[in-house]
Amino acid sequence: MENPKCRVRIKIWIETEDGDTLFGEGQISVLEAIEKEGSINAAARSLKMGYRSMWGRLKKLEQRIGQPLLIRRKGGQTGGESILTPEAGAMITSFRNLKRRIEDASTKIFEEEW
Amino acid sequence: MENPKCRVRIKIWIETEDGDTLFGEGQISVLEAIEKEGSINAAARSLKMGYRSMWGRLKKLEQRIGQPLLIRRKGGQTGGESILTPEAGAMITSFRNLKRRIEDASTKIFEEEW
């Protein structure tokens, strides 16, 4: 192509064999925010999402994945914390690694092909 | 991960060094529809888009790319035809080839990594 100063961008997500979305960037960002902030409330604030909407997304995600993603600790000084299950942590890491490898491959293919 | 029956999906688009989108699936689909249907009018109908909205997208795309993408022939029995320039044809083919190669690489990486 004529414009040498362009690049390819990608978005990835995981779906079932039947074509239903399992999760993608949005869900992973929610899990990362909870990991960083320590509660659904603080994570919702940091992503400028409503608590209820984030809660709904998490419940739906747990159903789809068939595994608990959060360990909730009610009460305490800060009024309820949430930490990720190891499975949720593995999900974040796997997704980030996958995305990085696919991005690297895409850039390489683009440079060869375009 | 636990669910063996899932797969990775990708969306790709091309952007400038500055991070502005040049084009992606949407623009390529518009060009493909014009190539198939032979006019902006028929292409807009086939994609259930308004004529004006499609026309606006095409003008914007031509500006970004810096090249004419359509050869318009006004009048005639069917009231105006549009055919693609060779550059537009090359753009479709390059994008489809790029997407196919990146999809193949993504599937391979997913199978190795997940």
Side-chain angles (χ1 to χ4, degrees):
Chain A
M1 295 285 290
E2 296 71 16
N3 189 342
K5 295 191 175 177
C6 55
R7 63 186 168 207
V8 66
R9 291 290 311 277
I10 60 159
K11 184 184 163 184
I12 75 167
W13 67 98
I14 310 296
E15 67 175 31
T16 65
E17 264 192 330
D18 301 331
D20 298 321
T21 300
L22 266 174
F23 61 90
E25 192 65 50
Q27 286 81 10
I28 295 296
S29 298
V30 165
L31 294 179
E32 283 171 335
I34 294 168
E35 185 169 58
K36 186 178 168 210
E37 304 290 342
S39 77
I40 298 179
N41 235 322
R45 265 200 308 279
S46 80
L47 295 179
K48 297 185 176 36
M49 281 177 71
Y51 178 90
R52 272 174 174 280
S53 142
M54 183 175 279
W55 174 261
R57 283 185 92 156
L58 285 162
K59 293 312 289 179
K60 215 190 273 181
L61 183 56
E62 284 187 333
Q63 277 169 13
R64 284 192 210 133
I65 299 291
Q67 292 198 347
L69 298 170
L70 297 182
I71 300 164
R72 291 169 197 100
R73 290 193 262 174
K74 298 207 173 180
Q77 263 194 314
T78 54
E81 294 175 347
S82 286
I83 58 172
L84 298 188
T85 60
E87 289 76 11
M91 215 170 109
I92 295 175
T93 304
S94 297
F95 186 84
R96 289 292 170 222
N97 288 347
L98 181 69
K99 191 175 174 198
R100 198 163 298 118
R101 281 198 61 192
I102 293 178
E103 274 175 346
D104 290 349
S106 301
T107 301
K108 203 162 156 281
I109 291 167
F110 183 72
E111 282 163 3
E112 282 168 25
E113 183 109 358
W114 208 254
Chain B
M1 295 285 291
E2 297 71 14
N3 190 342
K5 296 192 176 176
C6 54
R7 61 184 170 207
V8 66
R9 292 291 310 274
I10 60 160
K11 185 185 161 178
I12 76 168
W13 65 99
I14 310 297
E15 67 175 29
T16 65
E17 265 191 329
D18 301 332
D20 298 321
T21 299
L22 267 174
F23 61 90
E25 192 66 49
Q27 286 81 12
I28 295 295
S29 298
V30 165
L31 294 179
E32 284 171 335
I34 293 168
E35 185 170 57
K36 187 178 168 208
E37 304 291 340
S39 78
I40 299 180
N41 235 323
R45 264 199 309 278
S46 81
L47 294 179
K48 295 183 177 37
M49 282 176 74
Y51 178 90
R52 275 174 171 280
S53 141
M54 183 175 277
W55 174 261
R57 285 186 90 156
L58 285 163
K59 293 313 289 178
K60 214 189 273 178
L61 184 57
E62 283 187 336
Q63 275 169 17
R64 286 192 209 132
I65 299 291
Q67 293 199 345
L69 298 170
L70 295 184
I71 301 163
R72 289 169 199 101
R73 290 192 262 172
K74 296 205 174 179
Q77 263 195 315
T78 55
E81 293 175 349
S82 287
I83 59 172
L84 298 188
T85 62
E87 290 77 12
M91 214 169 111
I92 295 175
T93 304
S94 296
F95 186 84
R96 290 292 170 220
N97 288 347
L98 181 71
K99 190 173 177 201
R100 199 163 297 119
R101 280 198 62 191
I102 294 178
E103 274 176 344
D104 290 349
S106 301
T107 300
K108 203 162 156 281
I109 291 167
F110 183 74
E111 283 165 2
E112 281 167 26
E113 184 109 356
W114 208 253

